Amino acid sequence: MQVTLVQEASTLDPAENRARLAELTPGGSDLVVFPEAFARDFGEPGSDLSEAAEPLDGPFATEVAKVAAERGTTVLAGMFERGADPARPVNTLVLRGAGTADYRKIHLYDSFGYRESDRVTAGPLTPVTVDLAGLTLGLMTCYDLRFPELGRALVAAGAEVLVVPAAWVAGPRKVDHWTTLARARAIENTVYVVAVGQPGPRYTGHSIVVGPLGDVLLEAGETAGTFSATLDRDAVTEARRTNPSLANRRL
């Protein structure tokens, strides 16, 4: 599988962000991953996100599907979805193209002085996987990376790649946490991890691809950019033969 990581910042203008989907999506990849909240940035802490919310047949998800079809690829990108509570939309990933799925963020970022749950409704406790280009993807969003039980639930559902769009807020130790957690999720589950963040200075950047034995195959810096990697299902099979920790678990 060829995967493209798009480490680009979203703005507060949804129309501008939609237009950039086509500009930033290359052909030739099986999967193109944009960051969390690419449809519209979070804005200042505590700002109202309800006006940014759209239905899944709204402008952003429709444009994701259109761009994926035009480029002959599958695109994953984050948006705020209109939900049951008009004041608190859902932080949703939409995947459109050869595979189709929607994942609503389970773990909200109530940490490091932020309160995402004041503005966002958590998604259902259901792991979301999708088959694409010979691999099974498990979807996570940003803060979900800190919760090993979600990664394990996705792997129990068949995931061989954990894909993690994020807007990982910058700060002391945050890059180290991001890269360490991405490697940990890969090592403990013998899976690839593809984690794509928004760039600095507000966010950490450092989009990363980790192999199923914990090798860092690609790591970006802080600035915006587009990066590519190749994922091989045989590497997952070999990692699980070498390190059969999933087969050996007792709990």
Side-chain angles (χ1 to χ4, degrees), residues 12 40-50 118-119 202:
L12 297 177
R40 194 267 199 186
D41 186 54
F42 282 92
E44 293 302 316
S47 60
D48 182 11
L49 296 173
S50 62
D118 289 343
R119 302 187 288 161
R202 181 175 184 185

Side-chain angles (χ1 to χ4, degrees), residues 144-236:
D144 283 332
L145 189 63
R146 292 185 180 272
F147 297 86
E149 58 269 29
L150 178 56
R152 183 53 54 89
L154 287 163
V155 169
E160 298 154 313
V161 184
L162 301 180
V163 187
V164 193
W168 197 268
V169 177
R173 299 177 292 277
K174 296 298 287 297
V175 171
D176 185 51
H177 285 196
W178 167 254
T179 57
T180 299
L181 290 163
R183 293 191 67 215
R185 298 295 83 82
I187 293 165
E188 71 198 5
N189 293 300
T190 52
V191 293
Y192 285 100
V193 170
V194 177
V196 182
Q198 293 206 38
R202 181 175 184 185
Y203 302 105
T204 60
H206 284 265
S207 295
I208 190 169
V209 178
V210 185
L213 287 174
D215 303 304
V216 176
L217 307 180
L218 180 156
E219 183 180 347
E222 179 184 341
T223 58
T226 301
F227 313 92
S228 295
T230 300
L231 313 185
D232 184 353
R233 191 176 188 278
D234 288 344
V236 177

Side-chain angles (χ1 to χ4, degrees), residues 4 6 20-27 32 34 67-68 71 73-75:
T4 297
V6 182
R20 295 174 68 225
L21 286 169
E23 296 170 9
L24 294 168
T25 299
V32 180
F34 285 82
V67 169
R71 298 292 190 274
T73 188
T74 297
V75 176

